[in-house]
Amino acid sequence: MKKIAIFTSGGDAPGMNANVRAVVRTALHYGFGAVGIRNGYEGMIDGDMYDMEARDVSNIIQTGGTILGTARSARFMTQEGRKLAYDNLKKFNIDGIVACGGNGTFTGAKIFMEEYPDINIVGTPGTIDNDLYGSDYTIGYDTAVNTAMNAIDNIKDTANAHGRLFFVEVMGRDAGFIALRAAIATGAEAVLVPETFTDLDALVKMLNTNYQNKKRASVVVVAEGDDAGDALEVLQQIKPKLLSQDIRVTVLGHIQRGGRPTVMDRVLGSRLGLEAVRALKDGIKGVMIGQIGGDICHTPFEIAIKHNQTINPTLLEMVEILS
Ligand code: F6P
């Protein structure tokens, strides 16, 4: 192996830059060339890649976003797109690739390697959603939850000042990890996640009981992909039945994707980047490099993407008991 490339793909996540930095510097440490591919699979298709030196990743460990850019590539879903990507990788003499991303990124990598068996890709879990099997945490999740927590803390101030009920929507199209952890950390009254059936009648009952008991303010954290709908949709369905009528909805949106990575995401991004290069060096491919209980784990892409992490029911119950 002579040249190792890195790209970031899908939704950006704080800590991706720490991951890029670690891949580049570990590759150079072992005497390989390091290449950055811009804008995920799009850059592979367009041949938008460049040789990277240690200094190219200076001063980025503390920044959100990704210096390489990212994209969700529709072209890579076509055979023609993948053929162009393959030809470019050969042209640039790339022997190993680290793909930092989530479900879509690893699905693409798996198909690509089935079509072109001489392509060697390992993945690092870069997504705020924490929805990959094979790592306790994904890069970016901790920062996103802290951002959500700080925002909800602020909302609670004004909710208490006015005596209002708030529905706060957090990211998570298919996963409730951000919602659940943010709800626990802020002492929210309820949390709605896509993984479990949402009983709106039970929610109404609980909120009305709180209202009758003169609880001053309540916060319901809603994952955007909840089975009952997003925060606005949930409210529309239950508003006529709610006793409290001083209600607001806040959608946190993309502020959860940005910001300075927490210490956890910087360290995780760095460690998984280093281990990804070591794996390629050892001839390993087709796996996501994760961390479980402090140990490095290699999980085949098809397992990482299909066997979604499950929500811990004890934590869901905890929100209810502690609210
Ligand atoms: O995949 C991560 C994620 O943050 C999801 O939680 C969210 O639904 C989605 O990205 C939104 O991404 P975009 O705005 O890039 O389409």
Side-chain angles (χ1 to χ4, degrees):
M1 187 147 316
K2 292 190 198 83
K3 261 192 183 181
I4 291 179
I6 164 93
F7 70 95
T8 51
S9 163
D12 60 304
M16 277 186 164
N17 280 333
N19 196 241
V20 171
R21 174 179 176 271
V23 169
V24 169
R25 293 202 171 162
T26 309
L28 297 173
H29 170 82
Y30 286 118
F32 306 129
V35 174
I37 302 174
R38 293 193 183 92
N39 304 320
Y41 289 117
E42 287 288 295
M44 225 183 252
I45 293 169
D46 294 333
D48 192 0
M49 23 188 125
Y50 62 109
D51 290 327
M52 295 183 87
E53 301 299 333
R55 292 286 79 80
D56 291 324
V57 289
S58 292
N59 215 22
I60 65 167
I61 195 167
Q62 74 276 27
T63 59
T66 158
I67 61 156
L68 293 176
T70 187
R72 300 187 204 278
S73 175
R75 286 192 293 163
F76 197 74
M77 291 177 195
T78 66
Q79 264 183 356
E80 299 73 42
R82 292 193 293 274
K83 170 81 172 73
L84 286 169
Y86 178 79
D87 291 344
N88 280 324
L89 292 173
K90 290 288 137 189
K91 198 160 94 198
F92 281 79
N93 296 317
I94 288 162
D95 309 292
I97 303 164
V98 180
C100 179
N103 280 303
T105 308
F106 299 156
T107 304
K110 186 177 170 292
I111 295 169
F112 196 35
M113 282 190 299
E114 278 161 10
E115 268 171 14
Y116 300 102
D118 57 331
I119 290 290
N120 305 312
I121 307 179
V122 298
T124 51
T127 165
I128 64 166
D129 290 340
N130 203 37
D131 58 348
L132 292 164
Y133 184 85
S135 194
D136 288 338
Y137 298 107
T138 55
I139 301 163
Y141 170 65
D142 187 61
T143 308
V145 176
N146 275 286
T147 302
M149 178 191 74
N150 288 326
I152 297 170
D153 284 349
N154 290 0
I155 287 168
K156 284 188 78 168
D157 287 345
T158 177
N160 275 295
H162 282 266
R164 281 176 172 158
L165 165 60
F166 266 86
F167 288 79
V168 183
E169 182 180 304
V170 298
M171 274 188 167
R173 207 172 11 215
D174 307 303
F177 294 99
I178 296 176
L180 178 58
R181 221 166 168 82
I184 293 169
T186 56
E189 274 57 43
V191 59
L192 312 187
V193 295
E195 290 86 347
T196 58
F197 167 69
T198 295
D199 183 346
L200 290 181
D201 290 335
L203 179 67
V204 168
K205 200 167 158 218
M206 187 269 286
L207 292 172
N208 284 345
T209 306
N210 285 353
Y211 184 81
Q212 281 164 334
N213 290 341
K214 307 229 175 310
K215 188 163 191 163
R216 190 154 170 82
S218 292
V219 171
V220 179
V221 179
V222 185
E224 62 178 334
D226 185 66
D227 53 304
D230 62 25
L232 262 177
E233 289 163 349
V234 165
L235 178 58
Q236 269 158 13
Q237 293 170 70
I238 63 174
K239 195 162 184 201
K241 299 183 204 154
L242 287 173
L243 294 174
S244 161
Q245 290 299 308
D246 200 1
I247 307 168
R248 295 290 185 273
V249 173
T250 304
V251 178
L252 297 187
H254 287 77
I255 63 160
Q256 295 160 98
R257 284 246 290 262
R260 283 179 174 253
T262 57
V263 64
M264 184 166 151
D265 281 329
R266 296 180 198 198
V267 174
L268 186 67
S270 301
R271 184 167 185 212
L272 297 185
L274 178 138
E275 294 295 347
V277 173
R278 282 189 175 158
L280 285 171
K281 180 171 152 290
D282 293 343
I284 292 163
K285 60 188 267 191
V287 298
M288 183 190 85
I289 316 295
Q291 184 180 294
I292 299 180
D295 295 326
I296 292 299
C297 299
H298 293 177
T299 305
F301 284 144
E302 60 270 27
I303 294 178
I305 54 188
K306 279 211 193 103
H307 300 64
N308 277 351
Q309 290 236 49
T310 47
I311 284 269
N312 183 344
T314 318
L315 295 183
L316 273 177
E317 199 191 353
M318 193 163 107
V319 175
E320 223 176 293
I321 294 172
L322 300 185
S323 77

